[in-house]
Amino acid sequence: MKKKSVDTLVVGGGLAGSILAWKLMQQGVRTHIVFDPKIPSASYVAAGLMNPVTGQRLVLQEHAKTLLETSKSFYQSLEEHFQTSFYFEKPMLRYLRNQKEELAWKKRQSNVDYDDYLEATNQPKCILQHHTAYLDTQGLLRCLHEAFECRGMLSHATMDYDEIDSQSSSIRWQHISAQGIIFCEGWRGQFNPWFQYLPFQPSKGEILDLKTSSKVPEHIINSGRWLLPMHDGRLRFGASYDCHPPMNESITSHGKETLLADLKQMPVVLEDVDVMRQQAGVRPNTLDKQAFLGVHPKHSNIAILNGFGSKGSMLIPYYADVLMEHIQQQKALPKNVDIRRYSCA
Ligand SMILES: Cc1cc2nc3c(=O)[nH]c(=O)nc-3n(C[C@H](O)[C@H](O)[C@H](O)COP(=O)(O)OP(=O)(O)OC[C@H]3O[C@@H](n4cnc5c(N)ncnc54)[C@H](O)[C@@H]3O)c2cc1C
């Protein structure tokens, strides 16, 4: 194969790798992206929900406004570029399930930071959440990958770490030489020899696509599990959460039964429910629930963008910029996501 020289080699074709490669390319950085489509990607399974207030304690994501603005403008710029829709704003009805959640809501009502995000409804145990949206992750990735392929900057291959030569000033892998390499392998980053010291804590999730004869709700419904009525008529329900190893992307009958039992507890009655599709994926969660960004402490041309857990759609556009500014302009990384919070033996 003809030799190719680039500035940056990106490993991983999920949201992290694809968004990073696109942003680099837009800046004029010569980029090549490699991923193995046979290695499952959480991004293809994800519902793409963007929800800045989460958990039983109704916690507002730090820097929510910046994260939401950055992701919205990024996804909308891609919609314009590809002349198709990926980003859908949709308010969420959040049903409070227990005293803990009711107490949290009571507290939040007197906190002005939440005014923009949470609103009372005429039902006592139901809140209306604003600034929620979802991303059509599959549609987006399809467009990005086609664009990379058209530009000859995509290889479909398994990255065998032994094939990477990082001894000289540039990185060499197969026919490609690069100034630097950025790993975005999702939960499989825990097997990467340069970054396996980082405490990944992956979690498996299963998700159902449903069909029903009932009228589907207008809002996203959240009551522990969420129900997402999509623009194309699909109704998605999920997702389960299992952090017991070993991890894999196989669907299970237990996962399906649990989700269908939970569907019956949702505050929306759906008649004649058929399961059209069941999928499973593994989220790249981390021990301290913060992302992993940075350059390897001993190898200045090896970097990582990973650890986005259940929030990749909202976090990745912003943190891809943060990592690029760190690498290109030596801007300090926010401490909470900097991989230097863990020591590498
Ligand atoms: C059921 C479920 C529901 C979810 N719902 C949401 C949601 O509603 N909202 C949200 O924001 N997030 C959600 N998530 C989480 C979301 O999927 C992740 O935050 C995000 O997709 C992570 O993207 P990533 O690119 O880091 O990883 P991935 O999407 O897993 O991508 C990893 C990439 O690396 C490649 N790869 C790995 N190892 C190698 C190798 N050795 N060689 C070559 N290629 C390799 C893979 O092929 C893949 O392309 C959900 C996840 C699951 C499983």
Side-chain angles (χ1 to χ4, degrees):
M1 200 173 283
K2 203 171 156 229
K3 284 192 174 164
K4 186 176 180 186
S5 170
V6 295
D7 299 315
T8 306
L9 183 59
V10 173
V11 182
L15 284 176
S18 305
I19 289 174
L20 178 70
W22 179 262
K23 283 179 177 261
L24 288 166
M25 186 194 90
Q26 293 292 95
Q27 278 192 348
V29 176
R30 293 172 310 146
T31 306
H32 197 85
I33 178 167
V34 49
F35 66 92
D36 185 348
K38 291 193 288 305
I39 298 180
S41 156
S43 306
Y44 276 96
V45 174
L49 288 172
M50 286 179 250
N51 175 12
V53 182
T54 54
Q56 292 204 46
R57 288 172 47 239
L58 300 174
V59 177
L60 178 62
Q61 170 78 39
E62 215 183 330
H63 312 302
K65 198 165 183 285
T66 309
L67 291 167
L68 289 170
E69 281 171 4
T70 308
S71 54
K72 179 177 175 173
S73 82
F74 175 70
Y75 295 131
Q76 287 183 337
S77 75
L78 289 179
E79 289 186 326
E80 208 164 291
H81 182 93
F82 291 108
Q83 287 297 296
T84 182
S85 302
F86 308 114
Y87 172 82
F88 302 88
E89 289 180 342
K90 208 175 237 310
M92 175 186 278
L93 282 177
R94 167 87 189 240
Y95 289 83
L96 306 174
R97 290 171 300 155
N98 51 44
Q99 269 196 329
K100 194 173 172 183
E101 292 188 353
E102 285 173 44
L103 199 69
W105 167 227
K106 215 171 168 187
K107 267 194 186 166
R108 300 310 180 210
Q109 278 174 291
S110 54
N111 185 338
V112 289
D113 293 347
Y114 286 77
D115 284 359
D116 217 20
Y117 298 96
L118 304 180
E119 186 187 334
T121 66
N122 53 14
Q123 299 176 63
K125 293 186 182 178
C126 176
I127 314 169
L128 182 60
Q129 273 190 240
H130 299 284
H131 301 292
T132 49
Y134 72 92
L135 178 72
D136 174 4
T137 56
Q138 293 182 13
L140 175 88
L141 290 173
R142 211 175 305 121
C143 284
L144 289 177
H145 294 169
E146 272 173 29
F148 296 146
E149 200 145 20
C150 280
R151 290 167 174 81
M153 51 179 278
L154 166 65
S155 297
H156 281 156
T158 306
M159 177 57 74
D160 177 348
Y161 304 109
D162 292 337
E163 283 184 17
I164 298 175
D165 174 4
S166 62
Q167 298 312 315
S168 54
S169 59
S170 62
I171 297 280
R172 276 167 219 276
W173 172 77
Q174 294 191 355
H175 61 294
I176 299 191
S177 77
Q179 297 305 309
I181 186 165
I182 306 180
F183 288 104
C184 314
E185 305 136 296
W187 75 278
R188 286 187 173 79
Q190 66 180 357
F191 307 122
N192 181 312
W194 289 283
F195 294 108
Q196 59 191 2
Y197 71 94
L198 296 172
F200 283 87
Q201 209 169 65
S203 69
K204 178 172 176 173
E206 297 195 49
I207 185 170
L208 303 177
D209 284 8
L210 306 174
K211 204 172 100 184
T212 172
S213 59
S214 305
K215 188 173 179 303
V216 298
E218 274 175 35
H219 299 89
I220 303 167
I221 306 292
N222 184 339
S223 177
R225 306 269 187 229
W226 44 256
L227 191 64
L228 172 65
M230 290 182 72
H231 58 289
D232 54 7
R234 268 188 299 161
L235 187 61
R236 304 198 85 193
F237 182 64
S240 62
Y241 195 95
D242 180 1
C243 48
H244 296 98
M247 286 292 145
N248 62 58
E249 284 95 352
S250 313
I251 56 169
T252 64
S253 51
H254 174 73
K256 183 175 171 179
E257 282 156 22
T258 308
L259 285 173
L260 287 176
D262 290 348
L263 180 66
K264 293 203 174 98
Q265 305 303 315
M266 292 293 281
V268 191
V269 180
L270 298 177
E271 307 283 353
D272 310 316
V273 172
D274 277 335
V275 176
M276 309 305 289
R277 189 178 192 194
Q278 180 182 3
Q279 287 172 288
V282 180
R283 306 172 185 90
N285 296 94
T286 67
L287 182 66
D288 63 3
K289 300 182 173 43
Q290 303 290 331
F292 292 147
L293 268 73
V295 174
H296 191 278
K298 294 178 185 161
H299 301 272
S300 59
N301 48 10
I302 301 180
I304 186 168
L305 179 70
N306 206 328
F308 295 102
S310 313
K311 296 186 177 173
S313 317
M314 186 169 68
L315 302 185
I316 291 170
Y318 175 76
Y319 282 113
D321 289 342
V322 169
L323 181 67
M324 281 159 54
E325 284 173 4
H326 175 65
I327 293 173
Q328 296 165 355
Q329 301 161 33
Q330 289 74 52
K331 253 184 141 173
L333 289 169
K335 284 200 171 62
N336 60 317
V337 295
D338 188 340
I339 53 169
R340 283 181 303 176
R341 66 192 188 278
Y342 296 107
S343 63
C344 163

